[in-house]
Amino acid sequence: MSPRARWGMRLFYGQAQCSQCHRGKFQTDHAFHAIAMPQIGPGKGDGVQGWDDFGRERVTGQSFDRYRFRTPSLRNVVLTGPWGHDGAYNHLEAVVQHHLEPAKALQDYDTGQAVLPSRSDLDALDFVAYRDPEHRAALSRSSEITRIRLSDRKLRALMAFLYALTDPSSLDLRKDVPERVPSGLSVFD
């Protein structure tokens, strides 16, 4: 790792507090956390209007699990975008900045960064939950993350560490494309 990435690693495991949830060999605690991630998309049928996604509460039935989603692994994180349980962030640095100040990031979220497939019957619903001030306030109140201040230099170092988590052999996967799939059909038809 470069000196900057090593500094970022020290920040990751120290001041930035990332390792509270992103730890172990896969950089995940496999637990569920609420981090005030913007809700985009048509939702899961939760809430008064059905445009919300209550996260882990859908499984446990416990209201304290509302808006909690599983901590993702950070292995090859550069290649796993869009980021957030619903793909709210199209840039890795944006989701990292969200983690540093969730309430502000939620309020200032730019819906233009969401990359969603267009479907005429769903397009109008994609940001209904996010645009509802009461919904955003509930998301903000649920956040388990407190504000963390990092200088621009420290943020760049943290990003260098996250980039170092990507296996260079994963950048070009063309050699892994099979000639046939289990059905026997050609992949290249």
Side-chain angles (χ1 to χ4, degrees):
M1 282 193 294
S2 70
R4 180 180 278 181
R6 286 195 303 272
W7 181 30
M9 180 177 67
R10 288 190 300 275
L11 291 165
F12 182 93
Y13 289 104
Q15 180 186 0
Q17 301 177 26
C18 308
S19 64
Q20 288 184 355
C21 301
H22 294 282
R23 60 180 175 260
K25 64 183 175 181
F26 295 110
Q27 275 109 5
T28 177
D29 60 4
H30 297 287
F32 296 83
H33 300 282
I35 62 169
M37 186 61 60
Q39 296 277 318
I40 65 169
K44 294 283 187 174
D46 299 325
V48 177
Q49 307 267 342
W51 298 320
D52 210 340
D53 181 350
F54 286 172
R56 186 69 177 155
E57 181 184 355
R58 294 178 57 84
V59 175
T60 67
Q62 303 295 319
S63 61
F64 60 81
D65 279 333
R66 186 167 295 177
Y67 304 129
R68 290 180 180 211
F69 296 87
R70 188 182 304 272
T71 305
S73 170
L74 296 183
R75 298 287 295 269
N76 290 327
V77 67
V78 172
L79 306 175
T80 60
W83 294 271
H85 71 273
D86 55 3
Y89 288 99
N90 196 37
H91 300 283
L92 181 58
E93 185 173 331
V95 77
V96 170
Q97 288 177 330
H98 176 95
H99 281 73
L100 296 175
E101 197 169 358
K104 183 176 183 329
L106 176 64
Q107 286 307 118
D108 295 345
Y109 177 70
D110 174 12
T111 59
Q113 69 184 308
V115 178
L116 300 168
S118 181
R119 201 172 113 180
S120 60
D121 60 330
L122 296 178
D123 288 349
L125 302 178
D126 284 338
F127 300 105
V128 171
Y130 173 73
R131 288 186 177 121
D132 178 14
E134 290 178 28
H135 169 78
R136 281 198 317 274
L139 270 174
S140 189
R141 284 190 304 271
S142 75
S143 182
E144 302 168 25
I145 299 177
T146 57
R147 182 180 184 190
I148 297 169
R149 292 180 187 254
L150 290 183
S151 67
D152 287 342
R153 283 186 64 230
K154 288 180 178 181
L155 178 61
R156 285 192 305 273
L158 183 58
M159 294 305 299
F161 173 64
L162 293 177
Y163 273 81
L165 297 176
T166 299
D167 180 352
S169 68
S170 297
L171 296 175
D172 184 352
L173 299 177
R174 289 177 289 188
K175 66 184 180 313
D176 293 338
V177 177
E179 290 187 28
R180 297 197 174 281
V181 292
S183 66
L185 296 173
S186 172
V187 174
F188 300 105
D189 282 345

